[in-house]
């Protein structure tokens, strides 16, 4: 790791072939806005072989970029006192169990009730600034409706180390999902590329020209033939990956009105949101290297739906070797 945490060496990942620099960096640093990535490029802060890289410069796997991140402005956000379920906190990290319905960071149409606002209050403003003014501490995200384990960086050194770990997939992420219809198989691997939907830009889709994506899934419990509790292990981190992959194999997540298309079949079922929960996150501490393993039980709405399904359709637990 560089002594100056503002200057980074980034190697373009395998599978990239002559793709625009702004797209490569936006995908590599999802915690940064697209406009901030473009400003960094426009300022000549990204170099390849000593030459400045422009937005449209084609990059390929193995290209080693030197990136000089500018000092971001201090956040102008107002800390807000909100309840937080803190799983872990030290000088470098804070890990929480996110409630469903809470937005991670400010954006269009949000108020002062995001997780970032609450964490600024909790930490006395001590969150990493490297992610930008509106995203202090943010190294990964969960959708608004998704609950579960989420970590934030309190220092820039931790921030850059965590970004590298997420890029290199040096961590374990497991999710629980309540899905429509019980799968015939008890486990499987989904290797289908994902990219923005060709006509609906707010959705993602399985596409041949998409980015590689892999989700391993395991049935934990069957509720008759009508639903199941599934554990998913992510090997990549594409937007909406689990939702898209499970829908692709015919088992959309219950409550997912974007990818499910089966709302009417569930009339009378308690489906307040997308029933997806980040149950486990394990990794090496970004500074000390100490192994960390964080787990969180699903929230009441998730547990209530599972109980409802057991009562209506029965239950069969699946034991894995």
């Amino acid at each position: 790791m560089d002594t100056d945490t503002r200057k980074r060496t980034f190697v373009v990942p395998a599978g990239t072939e002559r793709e625009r620099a702004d797209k490569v960096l936006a995908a590599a640093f999802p915690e940064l806005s697209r406009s901030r990535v473009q400003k960094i490029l426009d300022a000549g802060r990204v170099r390849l072989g000593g030459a400045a890289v422009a937005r449209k410069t084609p990059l390929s796997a193995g290209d080693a970029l030197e990136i000089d991140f500018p000092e971001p402005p201090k956040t102008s956000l107002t800390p807000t006192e909100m309840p937080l379920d803190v799983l872990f906190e030290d000088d470098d990290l804070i890990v929480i169990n996110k409630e469903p319905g809470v937005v991670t960071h400010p954006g269009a149409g949000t108020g002062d009730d995001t997780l970032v606002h609450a964490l600024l209050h909790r930490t006395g403003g001590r969150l990493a600034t490297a992610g930008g003014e509106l995203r202090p501490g943010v190294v990964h995200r969960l959708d608004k409706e998704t609950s579960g384990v989420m970590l934030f960086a309190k220092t820039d050194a931790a921030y850059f180390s965590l970004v590298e770990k997420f890029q290199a997939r040096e961590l374990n992420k497991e999710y629980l999902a309540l899905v429509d219809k019980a799968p015939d198989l008890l486990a499987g691997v989904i290797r289908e590329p994902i990219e923005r939907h060709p006509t609906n830009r707010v959705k993602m889709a399985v596409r041949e020209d998409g980015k590689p994506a892999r989700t391993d899934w395991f049935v934990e419990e069957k509720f008759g033939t009508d639903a199941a509790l599934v554990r998913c292990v992510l090997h990549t981190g594409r937007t909406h990956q689990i939702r898209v992959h499970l829908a692709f194999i015919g088992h959309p997540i219950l409550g997912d009105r974007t990818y499910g298309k089966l709302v009417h079949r569930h009339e009378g079922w308690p489906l307040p949101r997308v029933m997806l929960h980040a149950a486990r996150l394990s990794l090496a501490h970004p500074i000390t290297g100490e192994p960390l393993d964080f787990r969180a039980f699903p929230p009441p709405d998730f547990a209530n739906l599972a109980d409802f399904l057991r009562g209506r359709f029965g239950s069969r637990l699946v034991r894995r070797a």
Side-chain angles (χ1 to χ4, degrees):
M1 182 174 295
D2 299 341
T3 302
D4 182 353
T5 58
R6 295 288 170 191
K7 294 182 179 180
R8 311 299 302 167
T9 298
F10 168 71
V11 179
V12 178
T16 306
E17 184 175 353
R18 297 193 61 78
E19 189 167 349
R20 286 174 53 125
D22 55 354
K23 291 187 64 177
V24 171
L25 293 181
F29 298 92
E31 68 285 349
L32 302 181
S33 66
R34 183 71 174 267
S35 62
R36 186 157 186 258
V37 167
Q38 292 175 338
K39 287 178 181 178
I40 291 172
L41 287 162
D42 293 345
R45 290 179 173 270
V46 181
R47 307 186 78 81
L48 176 61
V53 174
R55 297 186 189 188
K56 296 183 179 180
T57 299
L59 299 177
S60 297
D63 287 342
L65 306 179
E66 296 296 329
I67 307 175
D68 182 9
F69 289 93
E71 189 76 27
K74 298 297 182 182
T75 182
S76 60
L77 302 178
T78 302
T80 303
E81 186 173 6
M82 292 169 52
L84 289 171
D85 182 3
V86 178
L87 303 177
F88 174 86
E89 183 175 8
D90 66 6
D91 290 340
D92 303 291
L93 295 177
I94 183 166
V95 183
I96 66 164
N97 179 17
K98 176 186 174 295
E99 293 185 3
V102 180
V103 177
T104 298
H105 59 74
T110 63
D112 59 358
D113 57 352
T114 72
L115 283 178
V116 162
H117 287 88
L119 288 165
L120 286 170
H121 183 276
R122 163 84 186 203
T123 63
R126 193 163 182 263
L127 291 177
T129 59
E133 181 184 4
L134 298 181
R135 305 182 187 189
V138 177
V139 292
H140 72 125
R141 285 177 295 234
L142 295 179
D143 292 341
K144 177 180 179 180
E145 295 190 18
T146 303
S147 56
V149 181
M150 192 172 184
L151 63 80
F152 294 80
K154 294 174 69 175
T155 65
D156 283 357
Y159 169 89
F160 283 115
S161 177
L162 288 169
V163 167
E164 289 177 354
K165 289 181 183 298
F166 274 92
Q167 290 171 350
R169 306 301 166 198
E170 296 175 353
L171 39 76
N172 177 60
K173 292 191 291 183
E174 297 183 13
Y175 290 73
L176 291 174
L178 291 168
V179 304
D180 185 63
K181 296 181 292 186
D184 293 329
L185 299 176
L186 298 182
V189 178
I190 308 171
R191 291 186 179 91
E192 297 292 342
I194 294 175
E195 189 51 83
R196 188 72 58 183
H197 193 281
T199 58
N200 186 339
R201 304 305 291 173
V202 301
K203 293 177 61 174
M204 307 299 288
V206 167
R207 291 175 46 175
E208 290 185 2
D209 61 346
K211 294 182 175 62
R214 174 181 169 181
T215 304
D216 297 353
W217 60 270
F218 310 87
V219 175
E220 301 269 319
E221 185 176 2
K222 287 190 174 187
F223 308 109
T225 60
D226 286 81
L229 173 65
V230 172
R231 182 176 297 272
C232 295
V233 178
L234 286 185
H235 294 269
T236 50
R238 308 304 175 202
T239 301
H240 295 177
Q241 177 174 320
I242 296 176
R243 297 166 65 185
V244 172
H245 271 173
L246 290 179
F248 180 78
I249 65 171
H251 300 284
I253 299 175
L254 294 175
D256 193 341
R257 288 157 176 78
T258 300
Y259 299 102
K261 302 179 182 178
L262 293 167
V263 177
H264 298 299
R265 199 175 81 77
H266 308 308
E267 187 173 352
W269 293 20
L271 301 174
R273 65 173 174 100
V274 178
M275 285 298 159
L276 182 63
H277 174 74
R280 183 181 184 186
L281 177 62
S282 55
L283 71 161
H285 191 285
I287 303 302
T288 68
E290 176 189 1
L292 302 173
D293 191 358
F294 305 110
R295 307 186 190 208
F297 289 110
D301 62 354
F302 193 104
N304 289 342
L305 178 57
D307 286 341
F308 170 88
L309 295 170
R310 292 185 190 102
R312 175 166 291 194
F313 304 111
S315 168
R316 182 167 71 88
L317 295 175
V318 176
R319 299 186 183 278
R320 297 201 306 271

